[in-house]
Amino acid sequence: QVVSGWPAGAYLAWLALGIVLVLRGARPSRLGAAVAAGAVALALAGALLVPAAEFIGQTSYADTRSVEAAGREGYLTLLSWLRPAGGSGSLESSQLYAGLVALTLAVVGALDRRRDARAFAALAVVSLVVGLGTRTPFFAALYAWLPGFRVVYLPARLGILVSLATACLAALGLQALRDGRVSARRLAAGLAIVAALLPLTLLQFWQSEGYDNFRRLLTNLGRVTGAPYVGRIEELHYVVASLAAAVLLVIAVSRRAGAVAVALSALVAVDGLVAHQFNRPTGFDPAAWYARALERGATLRLDGDRFAGSQWHGTRHFLTDFPRSADPSLLPPNLALLVGVRDAQGYNPLLLRRAAAYYARLNARETGGAAPDDHWLLIGDFGAPETGNLALRAVASAGTDWRVASRRIAPPAVLRAGDPPTAPTLSATVGAGPVRIRVVTFLGEGTAIRDGVEVGALRLVLAGGELRFPLRAGEHTAEWAYDRADVRGAVAHRQAPIGLQTQVVSAVAGRTWTYEYLATFGASLDPGTVTAHVEQSLPPGPTTLNVAGVWLEQADSYVPSTGPSGTLTSSTSRPRAAIDVGSVSVRSDDPERIVLDVSAPSRARLTLADAFYPGWVARVDGAPADIGEADGLFRTLDVPPGTHIVTFSYEPASLKLGAALTGAGALALAALLVWPRGSLSPATISSRWRRNTSRP
């Protein structure tokens, strides 16, 4: 789990081991042996763990996310387990399907009186309750007090422990069945609990998602594919699998036939295979799917400078259902790495604190100085001066140049009936002449609003007066879930021009597109400063007017490129290696070693637009030099007059320390393998120590 870049999995594995050992009543010697084995394992992984710990210490992974944000996102929804690889909320909770046959066996096993059964049953219940997030107080308590628990990040990840406990309990139930220790009364109690899980699952969904989604869920369940989260064929599979398990269990208890245990094991495998078959991508060829993206990326090699991935600016957004809703030509996050392209908005859930703070400053004009994002590096305003320091040379525009070439003059907002107008937090300076204003909005719970009804207005305040542009349903904005099955038949207005569409997956509506709508207005302005107010005129009720922003097209610093089609090139971006006096050129540029040729008539400041990070060492003509910070993010270096070769190389001390620990762990493991069995037990070591110390 650590190797795969997901420390939460490793943390939960150790947490589960400790909980089970304690609940089983393990003797201190057993606990000591587990701790010793864990120490050897940690030492063996030292070459990975020490650099990883250093990296996590440099990130905002556990610092910027409040327990409220962590607890309400990606919590466990039991219904999502009924559809492998397609859950609502967190991805992890949709990949934990153990099968209804295994679940039935697990319930039977949990009713056993042995310590093993009690331990795993307690692990399942505790993990399930904590996995509900802030809907119970337990997740918040662990988030605040249990060391390292913040790395779990999303409550749904506790579902891993629930599935682990379910699998172990199923094995215990199968063993008890084979040994003839399952009475008819115990079996009846187990089957009653399984039957009660359906209403309990629905009640948990109601408690987690609210009555409105619960009502829609009951409407959608049972429909044929397209809208429902669980289709009729899947429902039939679950019913057949459950009944088959119940019949086999009854036969096993009444006749005590050991062969039934084999049949139940086979049924568990069939249940899992059939369930996953419903969701297996048909004919999915990754190479073919990404071919256009890889071809596009190969044309975007920009001599070491960066570009902005167009997935944030195209008309289709991939985030909630990647890769099915992603246009393969848009280079989704991290895909650019496969073709050696540096994406200034590259996705990584572990963001450097410096980078998160830098992007927060870059977007401060739009966000009002909100806290740094802990998950994404986004550029909201490409006209901000800080974008030039990123060596952001180009933006793949995907045919929506206005998002890059325009200035946003109104921030995102949610307006409700009775709310006052939004405050004018942004402004822009314009010259005389025609401009285009683009307003991106959508309606929520507004299906009853008729076509052409004014739901809001954009008001521009200028030095010479005001301009007002109405926003009408069906013309400028529309319901966000326009194509959802339960909306399409009830919406009373047309669908406005689409500005952005995103495919989402939920337990209520299955896969469906959601929309933001684009309204474009023209005006002729006098030179000066313009500010924007978005006002609402909604009818009383729950309807909302959601504003994604208002953009003003003006003279911009991004112009059409002579390079790849659809790319805008910046005329103000600084090169990745820049010097305040003299010249600099890149001789070689590798991930862990960068060599620059520098010529300076006097002492100069060299800036490399790469992140300042522990382990980087600079040398000027082979002599060590101190690396400083520039703009709170980049590396900087003072160079003396003359012509020099400057080298930046990554030589982390953490890797050397980790490698030493791995070597020590390997020696310890070798000793354990060759030493006589039992000679290293605590009792043996204690006996030897007493014997040796008692000698004269």
Side-chain angles (χ1 to χ4, degrees):
Q1 294 287 4
V2 175
V3 172
S4 69
W6 190 41
Y11 182 87
L12 291 176
W14 285 104
L15 185 64
L17 175 63
I19 291 174
V20 171
L21 286 175
V22 171
L23 292 176
R24 289 184 71 252
R27 298 190 303 271
S29 60
R30 292 283 182 90
L31 294 175
V35 171
V40 173
L42 290 173
L44 283 170
L48 292 166
L49 289 180
V50 177
E54 178 184 62
F55 175 54
I56 291 175
Q58 295 289 322
T59 69
S60 59
Y61 190 59
D63 293 345
T64 60
R65 172 157 288 232
S66 66
V67 65
E68 291 79 12
R72 68 171 175 261
E73 296 177 10
Y75 54 85
L76 280 177
T77 300
L78 299 185
L79 191 66
S80 67
W81 286 3
L82 296 179
R83 183 157 186 172
S88 62
S90 174
L91 178 64
E92 291 87 350
S93 66
S94 65
Q95 299 177 341
L96 304 175
Y97 178 73
L100 288 176
V101 180
L103 179 62
T104 304
L105 286 170
V107 172
V108 173
L111 296 177
D112 201 342
R113 296 180 179 179
R114 291 187 298 174
R115 287 184 300 177
D116 287 347
R118 292 198 300 267
F120 285 113
L123 176 64
V125 172
V126 171
S127 302
L128 181 60
V129 172
V130 176
L132 296 178
T134 52
R135 288 144 188 84
T136 69
F138 301 104
F139 181 82
L142 294 177
Y143 201 77
W145 298 108
L146 185 62
F149 187 76
R150 286 195 171 205
V151 77
V152 175
Y153 201 65
L154 295 174
R157 289 176 175 170
L158 272 296
I160 294 172
L161 298 187
V162 181
S163 287
L164 169 66
T166 299
C168 294
L169 287 171
L172 292 174
L174 197 63
Q175 186 180 53
L177 194 71
R178 183 196 62 190
D179 296 342
R181 291 186 290 104
V182 179
S183 64
R185 179 180 298 179
R186 177 176 158 191
L187 175 61
L191 294 179
I193 293 174
V194 172
L197 287 178
L198 176 59
L200 288 175
T201 298
L202 294 176
L203 286 174
Q204 188 265 342
F205 182 83
W206 185 351
Q207 186 265 342
S208 299
E209 296 288 325
Y211 172 75
D212 192 52
N213 277 347
F214 177 72
R215 174 180 55 81
R216 291 176 179 171
L217 173 69
L218 295 183
T219 303
N220 285 336
L221 278 175
R223 292 183 182 173
V224 188
T225 58
Y229 185 68
V230 180
R232 286 181 175 174
I233 298 178
E234 291 166 286
E235 291 175 4
L236 179 62
H237 161 69
Y238 297 138
V239 171
V240 170
S242 300
L243 290 178
V247 169
L248 287 175
L249 284 169
V250 171
I251 294 175
V253 170
S254 61
R255 300 186 180 181
R256 303 185 183 277
V260 177
V262 178
L264 281 168
S265 300
L267 188 59
V268 169
V270 172
D271 180 20
L273 289 172
V274 173
H276 283 80
Q277 187 70 23
F278 291 137
N279 296 277
R280 189 186 62 159
T282 56
F284 176 69
D285 182 358
W289 179 274
Y290 294 123
R292 287 173 52 202
L294 297 175
E295 181 182 355
R296 177 75 179 275
T299 66
L300 288 172
R301 295 179 183 271
L302 301 170
D303 301 324
D305 290 342
R306 296 181 177 86
F307 89 110
S310 61
Q311 70 273 8
W312 303 111
H313 316 293
T315 57
R316 285 193 174 188
H317 211 307
F318 73 94
L319 282 180
T320 53
D321 188 27
F322 177 79
R324 188 174 300 200
S325 62
D327 184 334
S329 70
L330 296 185
L331 286 173
N334 285 342
L335 191 61
L337 297 176
L338 297 180
V339 290
V341 175
R342 293 179 171 91
D343 188 346
Q345 299 180 118
Y347 162 78
N348 194 324
L350 296 174
L351 302 181
L352 290 179
R353 287 192 186 91
R354 293 180 176 88
Y358 185 89
Y359 277 76
R361 293 196 304 273
L362 188 155
N363 296 318
R365 179 176 171 275
E366 295 191 308
T367 61
D373 197 324
D374 65 343
H375 216 69
W376 307 100
L377 296 178
L378 299 178
I379 299 174
D381 186 354
F382 287 86
E386 290 86 352
T387 60
N389 297 337
L390 286 169
L392 181 58
R393 182 172 170 184
V395 177
S397 63
T400 53
D401 305 1
W402 62 270
R403 289 179 182 267
V404 177
S406 305
R407 301 301 301 272
R408 182 143 66 173
I409 59 173
V414 179
L415 305 180
R416 296 175 175 83
D419 285 353
T422 56
T425 56
L426 302 181
S427 62
T429 302
V430 298
V435 297
R436 283 193 180 93
I437 304 103
R438 293 180 171 90
V439 187
V440 179
T441 61
F442 61 90
L443 294 174
E445 301 293 338
T447 56
I449 297 178
R450 296 192 175 277
D451 206 45
V453 172
E454 183 176 320
V455 295
L458 168 66
R459 185 165 56 91
L460 298 182
V461 180
L462 309 109
E466 295 185 1
L467 294 175
R468 187 180 186 277
F469 303 96
L471 299 174
R472 304 183 188 279
E475 184 178 350
H476 306 112
T477 189
E479 176 69 27
W480 70 282
Y482 197 91
D483 282 338
R484 203 171 66 189
D486 59 335
V487 172
R488 188 168 54 246
V491 65
H493 54 262
R494 294 172 298 166
Q495 191 170 28
I498 297 171
L500 179 68
Q501 61 187 81
T502 306
Q503 191 177 64
V504 298
V505 181
S506 75
V508 174
R511 299 181 186 273
T512 183
W513 286 101
T514 65
Y515 303 97
E516 298 174 28
Y517 300 98
L518 173 64
T520 302
F521 304 102
S524 182
L525 305 181
D526 295 328
T529 300
V530 57
T531 56
H533 302 255
V534 180
E535 304 172 342
Q536 58 81 23
S537 53
L538 298 168
T543 305
T544 58
L545 176 62
N546 300 265
V547 182
V550 178
W551 284 263
L552 181 70
E553 186 180 283
Q554 56 184 352
D556 58 88
S557 57
Y558 286 87
V559 297
S561 171
T562 57
S565 174
T567 300
L568 301 179
T569 300
S570 172
S571 60
T572 61
S573 176
R574 296 178 62 183
R576 183 154 155 260
I579 194 169
D580 55 0
V581 179
S583 62
V584 58
S585 60
V586 179
R587 176 182 292 190
S588 64
D589 186 2
D590 298 315
E592 297 179 1
R593 181 179 172 84
I594 302 166
V595 181
L596 308 173
D597 291 315
V598 177
S599 179
S602 60
R603 190 171 186 83
R605 173 60 62 95
L606 171 68
T607 300
L608 181 67
D610 285 354
F612 181 91
Y613 187 82
W616 281 96
V617 176
R619 296 180 177 87
V620 178
D621 297 328
D626 294 330
I627 300 177
E629 276 187 77
D631 294 333
L633 177 60
F634 308 115
R635 298 177 218 152
T636 187
L637 187 70
D638 290 330
V639 293
T643 301
H644 308 281
I645 298 176
V646 177
T647 303
F648 290 90
S649 58
Y650 186 54
E651 304 171 15
S654 59
L655 180 59
K656 299 175 183 177
L657 174 60
L661 284 176
T662 296
L667 292 175
L669 180 61
L672 290 173
L673 292 175
V674 302
W675 221 272
R677 184 175 181 179
S679 61
L680 292 180
S681 68
T684 303
I685 294 174
S686 176
S687 175
R688 288 177 179 173
W689 182 82
R690 288 195 302 269
R691 186 168 58 250
N692 291 333
T693 54
S694 64
R695 292 176 180 175

